[in-house]
Amino acid sequence: MTKTRKKTDLPILGVHERVINASLLLFTKQGYFKTSVPDIVKASGCSTGSIYHHFKDKEGIASALYESLVMRMNLALDEIETQFPSSKQRCQAVIKLLFHITETEPEVMEFILYAKHKEFLPGNNPICSSRPFQKMREFVTAGIAEGDLQPIDDLVASASLYGGALRLIFLRLDGVIEHSLMDKLDDVWKCAWRSVAA
Amino acid sequence: MTKTRKKTDLPILGVHERVINASLLLFTKQGYFKTSVPDIVKASGCSTGSIYHHFKDKEGIASALYESLVMRMNLALDEIETQFPSSKQRCQAVIKLLFHITETEPEVMEFILYAKHKEFLPGNNPICSSRPFQKMREFVTAGIAEGDLQPIDDLVASASLYGGALRLIFLRLDGVIEHSLMDKLDDVWKCAWRSVAA
DNA sequence: TTGACTAGAACGAACGTTCGTTTTATACTA
DNA sequence: TAGTATAAAACGAACGTTCGTTCTAGTCAA
């Protein structure tokens, strides 16, 4: 018997999941600091006491949310690594993945990319030092070592390869771009690859 | 006789400037919501009453700060426009400008790029719709029209051209890059231009 | 009966803001 | 020039609100 499914076998979400889900929506819609604990209580349907039984404090909620999203990202990147052999294919798959998440779960992308985590997660590393972003850079570094990419600074190469795509994601999240990023995937990739291809 | 220099002709900063300067440092160092009005009082050396005499409220301070930085940016971009005739030169100058500001006044770049303005400036447009960013895109659009750049979607071209540089700026502000971005300027520009050059 | 969990009223601290007062600069008068 | 009147600016204690958190009472399954 798992920890979150005690009373029944019905697919009723536990407090932890309900709070995390509600917080993701609230944090991305109105920001961490403009989201009060009472807001989370209302949106999650859990009581204050319940929430504080499962989480140390408000920051703990954000922290758990952050961890879960980073973990999801890691799994997806690991899958890309096993599925594709070449650096080129991997980098392309990464951009496609990021675009896909942006279109299907914009809140997830927004929380990962746009939130100024250091403001409310003082302990955490900056997002760009977190494992998913490291992995993305590793793909690039490997590409340079294999001679597929120009022999330039890893960070410059990585920024050039992913920078365009990430910028478009910001524009999409801000509402500047109105149509699916998927439409632009090919063009974006052509530009990205051309910028660093050997 | 100006409004801010009555008592003497000495270059003593007025309340407005002192508050703006202090707030830029505080907002970028600890974030808007973790900066209290008493914090600003201490850092600026102005009293609470004084501050509320010059600004409507705390949000008004952030708003004035935002406006002043956007205006500075506009002036700099206008100068680039008059100084350089070709789109290529203009775009290159933009990246150099952004790198220069990042190195000499990181707080300015941080506030412009990194702050989630919509959290505390509900009225304002997203930063990427503001005039400076529009102007940056205009340079790219002109380049496409003139045939210097590939005939692709403006937004894709713009994102590809500036995306790498902006990504490096984020990395620099986050402390991931330890040396001056100026060292990487040439490589970054080569990648950026290669990504969209006709 | 016990122990894990839920509930929501209550609490103190900290916040942004207001307000009555004092200080300073300027304009006017004689 | 000296004296007075007026307005603008600065001040900071005090206010009401809202926040994150705690606490005590209660529920329910085992």
Side-chain angles (χ1 to χ4, degrees):
Chain A
M1 198 171 290
T2 71
K3 248 203 154 192
T4 49
R5 298 272 179 82
K6 326 125 261 203
K7 304 179 189 176
T8 91
D9 283 327
L10 290 174
I12 294 174
L13 293 178
V15 173
H16 192 91
E17 290 157 287
R18 277 191 288 161
V19 169
I20 290 285
N21 292 344
S23 297
L24 172 59
L25 293 179
L26 289 169
F27 289 168
T28 50
K29 196 169 64 178
Q30 54 193 22
Y32 175 81
F33 290 103
K34 289 214 167 175
T35 300
S36 67
V37 174
D39 284 343
I40 299 174
V41 168
K42 276 172 225 150
S44 68
C46 304
S47 70
T48 318
S50 250
I51 292 178
Y52 275 89
H53 180 78
H54 288 265
F55 300 91
K56 183 175 169 289
D57 50 22
K58 188 186 171 188
E59 205 174 291
I61 299 173
S63 201
L65 174 56
Y66 180 85
E67 293 294 330
S68 83
L69 295 184
V70 164
M71 181 161 301
R72 266 194 51 184
M73 211 69 169
N74 277 333
L75 291 176
L77 288 173
D78 286 344
E79 203 190 306
I80 285 176
E81 194 171 22
T82 59
Q83 193 174 350
F84 298 101
S86 79
S87 300
K88 183 176 177 180
Q89 287 172 307
R90 286 172 182 172
C91 292
Q92 188 173 13
V94 166
I95 292 178
K96 188 174 180 180
L97 168 69
L98 296 178
F99 278 13
H100 184 255
I101 296 176
T102 305
E103 292 301 330
T104 56
E105 298 167 289
E107 317 83 19
V108 170
M109 202 33 76
E110 178 139 3
F111 188 83
I112 291 182
L113 273 194
Y114 222 140
K116 220 187 166 190
H117 302 107
K118 69 167 175 175
E119 272 190 32
F120 57 89
L121 292 175
N124 280 59
N125 297 330
I127 182 75
C128 45
S129 310
S130 64
R131 253 216 66 218
F133 277 71
Q134 276 181 285
K135 191 118 219 161
M136 281 169 59
R137 272 209 291 278
E138 277 171 33
F139 294 161
V140 174
T141 308
I144 295 174
E146 291 158 12
D148 294 341
L149 272 61
Q150 302 242 350
I152 51 174
D153 184 299
D154 296 69
L155 288 169
V156 173
S158 182
S160 296
L161 234 180
Y162 299 121
L166 289 169
R167 197 103 294 267
L168 284 173
I169 290 172
F170 278 93
L171 292 173
R172 178 72 167 130
L173 293 174
D174 270 341
V176 176
I177 296 177
E178 290 174 346
H179 300 309
S180 172
L181 287 181
M182 288 303 177
D183 301 342
K184 308 188 189 294
L185 183 54
D186 284 350
D187 277 348
V188 171
W189 172 247
K190 272 182 209 153
C191 289
W193 184 250
R194 196 162 38 209
S195 73
V196 293
Chain B
M1 200 170 287
T2 73
K3 245 202 158 189
T4 49
R5 297 272 177 82
K6 330 134 257 206
K7 307 181 192 176
T8 91
D9 283 327
L10 287 174
I12 293 173
L13 293 178
V15 173
H16 193 92
E17 290 158 286
R18 278 191 288 162
V19 169
I20 290 285
N21 292 344
S23 297
L24 173 59
L25 294 178
L26 289 169
F27 290 167
T28 51
K29 196 169 66 179
Q30 53 193 21
Y32 175 81
F33 291 102
K34 289 213 166 174
T35 300
S36 67
V37 174
D39 284 343
I40 299 174
V41 168
K42 275 172 224 149
S44 68
C46 303
S47 71
T48 317
S50 238
I51 292 179
Y52 275 89
H53 181 78
H54 288 264
F55 300 92
K56 181 174 171 290
D57 49 22
K58 189 186 171 188
E59 207 175 289
I61 299 173
S63 201
L65 174 55
Y66 179 86
E67 294 293 330
S68 81
L69 295 184
V70 163
M71 182 162 300
R72 265 195 50 183
M73 211 69 169
N74 277 333
L75 291 177
L77 288 174
D78 286 344
E79 202 189 308
I80 285 176
E81 194 171 22
T82 59
Q83 193 174 352
F84 298 101
S86 80
S87 299
K88 182 176 179 181
Q89 286 172 307
R90 286 172 182 171
C91 293
Q92 189 174 11
V94 165
I95 292 178
K96 187 174 181 180
L97 168 69
L98 296 178
F99 277 14
H100 183 256
I101 296 176
T102 306
E103 292 301 330
T104 56
E105 299 168 287
E107 317 84 18
V108 169
M109 207 24 83
E110 178 140 1
F111 188 83
I112 291 182
L113 272 193
Y114 221 140
K116 219 189 168 189
H117 302 108
K118 69 169 175 174
E119 273 191 31
F120 56 89
L121 292 176
N124 281 59
N125 296 331
I127 182 75
C128 46
S129 310
S130 63
R131 253 216 65 217
F133 277 71
Q134 276 182 286
K135 191 117 220 160
M136 282 169 58
R137 272 208 291 278
E138 278 171 30
F139 293 161
V140 174
T141 308
I144 295 174
E146 291 157 12
D148 294 339
L149 272 62
Q150 302 241 348
I152 51 175
D153 184 298
D154 297 69
L155 288 168
V156 173
S158 182
S160 296
L161 235 182
Y162 299 121
L166 288 169
R167 198 102 293 269
L168 284 173
I169 290 172
F170 278 92
L171 293 171
R172 177 71 167 131
L173 293 174
D174 270 341
V176 176
I177 296 177
E178 290 173 345
H179 300 308
S180 172
L181 287 181
M182 288 303 175
D183 300 343
K184 307 188 190 295
L185 184 56
D186 283 350
D187 277 349
V188 171
W189 172 247
K190 272 181 209 154
C191 289
W193 185 249
R194 196 161 40 209
S195 74
V196 293

